[in-house]
Amino acid sequence: MNSGISKHLLKKRNRIQILRVVRDYAPISRVDISEMLGLTRAAVTILVNEMIDHGILREVGEAVVPEDAKTQKGRRKILLRINETFKFAAGVYLDETGISIGLTTLYLNVMEKQWIPYDTPPTIDEVVSIVEHAFHAMLQNSCLTQDQLLGVGVGIMPTVFAQMGCQMTDDGTHTFPELTQKLSACLGVPVYVEHAVWRFAQAGLYDKCHSIHPIRQLFLCQDEQAHYIAVQTYKSDCIIRPIDALCIAPNGRELAGYPDGSIQAELSDIAVRERVAPLFSQQQTPALWEALGGTLERATLASLLTASQTDTVLMPLARELMEKLTVLLHNLYTLCCPETICLFRMQFTPENLAQIKEAAIEHVGVALADALAVSTLLPQHYFLCGCVGVIHHEFFETGGFAS
């Protein structure tokens, strides 16, 4: 009985490996791919040429020879990149405030986008109707047909899991069978509906919309219900955990269902509003009052930090909360050893980030401060998490030859 891998599966695995190397290190030559993967040059050449013939990869010129290099014999290395317009990806993002829908190339360069806000999250059937209409309009506007599309990726935030029929598998994966089935039926392309935080983390979208380089990133995300962390690289599975029960201030504020001094009790939006309430007035906190339009329910840690620069009465509270945030970030940094900690959906401005880094240097050190970054993504681009998902499933996991 032959238990070895078949030639077909071996070829597919090698194509997948080649695609990942080109994604991570492009522009790169056939010779360098061969050395990195431990495959023969002949095998890499055959596979690469096949992928070029199908439009998956493209040659982008010769490698530059350094001026101080010895005279090179033979042909110069021909460099390769993924052909970003080989196929296209549609993405959808859904949370408690709106739907983001868009269309991108394989390098996540945006071709079409739309942000649809709402006061109340729609039903599954309403989501399907919205996506179907936008999907066909975007294809038409971009002069594309369905066969040029890899599929549709959908990222769902936990705040709307219940409305979208979320189910949990035995291994902890979140699935959305009804939404997936209905979207697949009406769109006629592969559809993947997944946890949005997972895909945001995998995409490395803390820096720029098309950044997909492999790093070890800790993604700290906040929504109306909780804080979540996701640790992700392209070389490992993503781990997503709610962390609101973590203690950051022993013997701190009490909150039913949580230990004293938990993240939820100390740093959640509700906790911040409770601390700000006794100070909040047009006379005492004019900057915060103006920023919030006089409505305390809009207060967040980010708005508090910004206003504390001019509202002196807020400065002690801002310093206290920044110290607790620094404790949280330091604990996560120590436990997870990330290269970068991305703060996502926490509304921090570049000025807020500078405040947090200053606190990190004061209480912990420069290493943590250097690792901190704030996501620059606007809600209009949140659909990119869905594009990342479908590109992962239908391109990188198939070696470019999706079924």
Side-chain angles (χ1 to χ4, degrees):
M1 177 178 175
N2 184 8
S3 60
I5 187 170
S6 69
K7 289 184 178 180
H8 173 75
L9 291 178
L10 179 61
K11 186 176 182 180
K12 178 181 178 180
R13 186 183 69 181
N14 289 341
R15 284 198 303 253
I16 290 172
Q17 290 180 319
I18 289 172
L19 265 189
R20 290 176 177 174
V21 168
V22 176
R23 173 194 65 198
D24 296 343
Y25 300 100
I28 187 171
S29 70
R30 295 167 175 82
V31 172
D32 292 333
I33 294 172
S34 171
E35 292 176 353
M36 292 185 71
L37 295 179
L39 300 173
T40 66
R41 294 187 182 182
V44 169
T45 296
I46 291 172
L47 292 174
V48 164
N49 289 348
E50 181 183 19
M51 295 165 84
I52 290 174
D53 290 342
H54 282 82
I56 298 169
L57 299 178
R58 64 187 181 92
E59 296 180 339
V60 293
E62 297 179 341
V64 176
V65 178
E67 293 182 1
D68 58 350
K70 296 180 180 179
T71 302
Q72 179 174 316
K73 296 181 180 179
R75 294 182 58 192
R76 287 187 180 182
K77 296 178 180 179
I78 304 298
L79 301 178
L80 302 163
R81 282 189 184 276
I82 290 171
N83 177 14
E84 70 169 316
T85 57
F86 165 65
K87 293 283 185 178
F88 300 87
V92 178
Y93 166 90
L94 184 68
D95 67 16
E96 72 282 1
T97 64
I99 297 178
S100 172
I101 305 173
L103 188 67
T104 72
T105 67
L106 293 178
Y107 276 139
L108 300 184
N109 287 312
V110 178
M111 301 169 62
E112 292 271 348
K113 67 178 184 296
Q114 185 176 7
W115 170 250
I116 305 169
Y118 43 67
D119 295 325
T120 303
T123 65
I124 289 177
D125 288 337
E126 289 170 338
V127 169
V128 171
S129 178
I130 292 170
V131 172
E132 182 180 17
H133 176 77
F135 173 81
H136 292 299
M138 287 180 179
L139 285 183
Q140 185 174 12
N141 292 342
S142 301
C143 300
L144 296 177
T145 58
Q146 285 189 200
D147 63 342
Q148 293 175 281
L149 204 67
L150 286 172
V152 177
V154 183
I156 307 290
M157 284 298 290
T159 46
V160 289
F161 274 6
Q163 293 96 315
M164 294 300 107
C166 179
Q167 296 181 14
M168 185 83 77
T169 63
D170 291 340
D171 64 358
T173 301
H174 298 85
T175 64
F176 305 82
E178 183 180 354
L179 180 60
T180 303
Q181 187 275 325
K182 289 185 174 181
L183 282 175
S184 300
C186 73
L187 300 181
V189 296
V191 173
Y192 298 90
V193 186
E194 300 171 300
H195 197 307
V197 177
W198 177 23
R199 286 305 177 192
F200 275 122
Q202 186 188 47
L205 295 174
Y206 67 97
D207 184 24
K208 52 187 177 180
C209 293
H210 59 276
S211 174
I212 55 174
H213 296 295
I215 63 171
R216 182 171 178 82
Q217 177 182 238
L218 188 148
F219 208 71
L220 178 59
C221 175
Q222 180 180 4
D223 62 24
E224 290 294 318
Q225 297 177 346
H227 292 74
Y228 302 87
I229 60 167
V231 182
Q232 175 70 52
T233 73
Y234 271 107
K235 297 176 174 60
S236 67
D237 292 333
C238 181
I239 302 171
I240 301 175
R241 293 289 184 271
I243 58 171
D244 288 273
L246 288 180
C247 180
I248 56 173
N251 302 315
R253 287 167 56 83
E254 297 179 2
L255 182 65
Y258 295 88
D260 293 351
S262 68
I263 296 171
Q264 187 70 7
E266 301 285 353
L267 294 177
S268 67
D269 287 344
I270 294 176
V272 170
R273 291 162 193 159
E274 290 177 353
R275 300 293 301 279
V276 170
L279 308 171
F280 187 63
S281 70
Q282 193 168 6
Q283 291 72 37
Q284 288 196 97
T285 58
L288 185 61
W289 183 276
E290 181 179 358
L292 303 181
T295 305
L296 179 61
E297 288 70 26
R298 296 172 55 192
T300 62
L301 179 56
S303 62
L304 168 63
L305 295 183
T306 298
S308 69
Q309 298 299 292
T310 51
D311 292 341
T312 55
V313 70
L314 294 174
M315 288 181 180
L317 177 58
R319 284 195 295 269
E320 177 192 336
L321 294 182
M322 273 198 292
E323 183 175 348
K324 291 174 179 177
L325 177 61
T326 300
V327 170
L328 166 62
L329 295 172
H330 174 64
N331 289 344
L332 297 177
Y333 184 70
T334 303
L335 289 171
C336 302
C337 303
E339 296 174 40
T340 300
I341 298 178
C342 172
L343 307 177
F344 178 63
R345 273 181 50 117
M346 302 178 78
Q347 303 177 39
F348 290 133
T349 65
E351 292 75 20
N352 295 152
L353 179 61
Q355 291 174 275
I356 296 168
K357 286 191 173 190
E358 184 178 340
I361 292 172
E362 177 184 354
H363 297 294
V364 179
V366 175
L368 173 60
D370 288 344
L372 297 176
V374 170
S375 172
T376 58
L377 278 184
L378 298 174
Q380 302 94 296
H381 287 101
Y382 285 175
F383 69 87
L384 288 170
C385 69
C387 294
V388 168
V390 74
I391 291 171
H392 169 80
H393 288 294
E394 290 291 313
F395 187 70
F396 290 114
E397 288 301 309
T398 65
F401 292 84
S403 56

